[in-house]
Amino acid sequence: MDKGTLYSYPVSNYSGMVRDVIYRYVLPIDIRHPQELGGIKSPEYQAKFPTGKIPALEVGDLKLYESSVILDYLLPSPEEGERKYYNLLAERVHDIYHGAYQGIMYRPSTEDETRTGLEAFRFTIGELDRILGLMDGPLFGGKEIGRGDLVYPTFGFYLHILPNYHDFDVFADCADLADWWTAIKADDICRKVLKEIAAGLQEWEDAGHFSKLYGKQSVVDFI
Ligand SMILES: N[C@@H](CCC(=O)N[C@@H](CS)C(=O)NCC(=O)O)C(=O)O
């Protein structure tokens, strides 16, 4: 593979999905902050990546955004048969049903937006647990990390923000997913990515971001 560049922030959960694969397979891709192109909202960045979001990947003339497309480029789904499609379904459910509401965890939101968002997270978590229960675990990939497992960086956000600020028990009635989380935390690369996310969330805490939003501060301790 030609040498590439991934644009990513350490705290970004979607970028964490791609960073996992870069670390895990030691891919020749530099990880850079979008500020090097003027930031995600700059004309320079958006000329390359029109959504103004991360992750974004550049390899020669190829410019890609959307984590699932980048993951397809870097690592076509390793699973086969039913497991392949359940893994892709898990990733898709996360992107569509969680992704639309992710911002309610860390941006000012109305009560309605918050309620709808929390319902979407409950649906996403319940679906991930149900899909996992259709296969031998403990991981979506079985014994190895698979495509569906790459939703794990979002659980750093869930486990820090939802119990501390929304009285929301992330793994309630989701025994398979609770076991999955134990298996995720036992994997060295997952732990590396989760620590990057935890450090980013702690920086937000230290800067008073959550105390402004929620009126209190918490210590990041999910990993
Ligand atoms: N569906 C997109 C979601 C990407 C996304 O929401 N990225 C967030 C960071 S985790 C972002 O760039 N947020 C900045 C913004 O929306 O302004 C993907 O899978 O890549």
Side-chain angles (χ1 to χ4, degrees):
M1 181 194 286
D2 288 344
K3 198 161 168 56
T5 301
L6 178 81
Y7 291 96
S8 158
Y9 304 146
V11 77
S12 160
N13 52 329
Y14 277 98
S15 308
M17 300 169 81
V18 180
R19 293 201 305 275
D20 179 298
V21 170
I22 293 172
Y23 298 149
R24 198 173 291 279
Y25 297 98
V26 198
L27 301 178
I29 295 179
D30 287 338
I31 300 178
R32 297 208 187 136
H33 198 286
Q35 206 52 47
E36 291 188 28
L37 286 181
I40 55 177
K41 300 306 171 202
S42 70
E44 290 77 4
Y45 188 84
Q46 292 193 5
K48 292 186 177 207
F49 308 113
T51 54
K53 288 184 185 271
I54 48 171
L57 178 74
E58 187 167 17
V59 183
D61 287 340
L62 181 72
K63 293 174 191 59
L64 298 175
Y65 56 91
E66 287 299 318
S67 55
S68 62
V69 177
I70 297 173
L71 290 172
D72 270 344
Y73 176 76
L74 297 179
L75 176 76
S77 176
E79 296 84 18
E80 293 189 343
E82 279 189 3
R83 190 180 287 279
K84 170 174 178 170
Y85 293 100
Y86 285 144
N87 269 262
L88 294 175
L89 181 61
E91 193 198 327
R92 185 96 175 141
V93 164
H94 164 263
D95 194 25
I96 301 289
Y97 298 96
H98 156 85
Y101 298 101
Q102 160 157 320
I104 69 111
M105 289 192 281
Y106 51 78
R107 290 195 188 119
S109 310
T110 65
E111 264 180 42
D112 262 9
E113 287 165 342
T114 300
R115 188 178 24 81
T116 312
L118 294 177
E119 282 167 14
F121 302 156
R122 185 52 79 205
F123 174 81
T124 302
I125 293 166
E127 265 304 273
L128 292 176
D129 183 64
R130 188 188 66 81
I131 295 166
L132 196 52
L134 300 171
M135 301 176 286
D136 291 334
L139 297 162
F140 284 89
K143 303 261 179 283
E144 307 293 329
I145 298 288
R147 271 294 279 270
D149 293 299
L150 294 176
V151 303
Y152 74 83
T154 293
F155 280 75
F157 278 71
Y158 282 171
L159 287 165
H160 181 60
I161 298 169
L162 300 184
N164 282 316
Y165 301 118
H166 292 286
D167 193 24
F168 182 115
D169 178 357
V170 174
F171 294 121
D173 300 323
C174 291
D176 287 329
L177 210 58
D179 291 345
W180 167 79
W181 182 246
T182 304
I184 288 290
K185 284 193 299 180
D187 178 273
D188 287 347
I189 302 292
C190 296
R191 264 209 316 282
K192 175 177 163 84
V193 172
L194 287 169
K195 281 184 182 164
E196 293 169 348
I197 290 173
L201 289 172
Q202 190 60 57
E203 270 179 35
W204 288 2
E205 284 286 5
D206 295 343
H209 184 77
F210 291 106
S211 64
K212 263 186 234 126
L213 270 183
Y214 294 115
K216 69 165 185 161
Q217 255 182 311
S218 311
V219 174
V220 179
D221 60 2
F222 62 80
I223 187 80

